[in-house]
Amino acid sequence: MISITSKSPYAVAALAELGRVAGDDPVPIGELARRRDVPVQFLEQLFAVLRRAGILTSQRGVKGGYRFGRAPAEVSVLEVVELLDGPVGSQAEGVFADAAGAAREVLSHTTIADVIEREAREAGTSMYHI
């Protein structure tokens, strides 16, 4: 079936925040969690999976934190979802298989860089709707 838990949206939001604020220095996970209102321990679990997959790298210590192991434009949302929630639509049949295929199509063609750009665009347009 199509099963996406809260893990994936939280992770994608935190990755978008990381991409938005990241420079050369790693970003502390506590800062990302605070900015996106995600419990730190939960985000640590998600980022551990993403680090093992090579999407993120981490640095320990006072100036520690996370940074991208690959460019945000090279990381699809589908990759993140499947790392955290398993294959999308793996056991779906009939109309649900069609829906899963459509979801896979959208998620595979959307990168973390696209999410960052979309959030920036939406933030910019919301300022004009006062």
Side-chain angles (χ1 to χ4, degrees):
M1 292 307 262
I2 305 170
S3 179
I4 298 176
T5 68
S6 61
K7 293 177 190 176
S8 294
Y10 278 129
V12 169
L15 289 171
E17 187 65 25
L18 177 62
R20 193 179 69 74
V21 300
D24 292 333
D25 296 326
V27 180
I29 197 164
E31 180 180 332
L32 296 171
R34 182 183 50 76
R35 288 174 177 246
R36 291 299 175 126
D37 198 26
V38 180
V40 174
Q41 295 83 0
F42 184 54
L43 194 55
E44 285 173 342
Q45 292 171 1
L46 303 179
F47 272 26
V49 172
L50 300 176
R51 183 185 50 76
R52 284 191 296 273
I55 292 173
L56 297 173
T57 62
S58 63
Q59 179 177 320
R60 293 178 182 243
V62 176
K63 296 189 178 200
Y66 286 86
R67 63 173 70 115
F68 279 96
R70 297 189 345 236
E74 297 174 5
V75 180
S76 75
V77 174
L78 180 65
E79 182 179 3
V80 173
V81 169
E82 291 193 333
L83 282 167
L84 298 173
D85 288 318
V88 174
S90 63
Q91 309 226 342
E93 296 178 6
V95 69
F96 295 103
D98 295 343
R104 288 181 64 79
E105 183 73 16
V106 170
L107 297 174
S108 70
H109 287 93
T110 305
T111 66
I112 298 302
D114 295 330
V115 173
I116 295 165
E117 183 181 312
R118 180 179 188 155
E119 286 182 356
R121 196 172 51 245
E122 289 173 355
T125 57
S126 65
M127 291 173 55
Y128 296 106
H129 299 294
I130 297 175

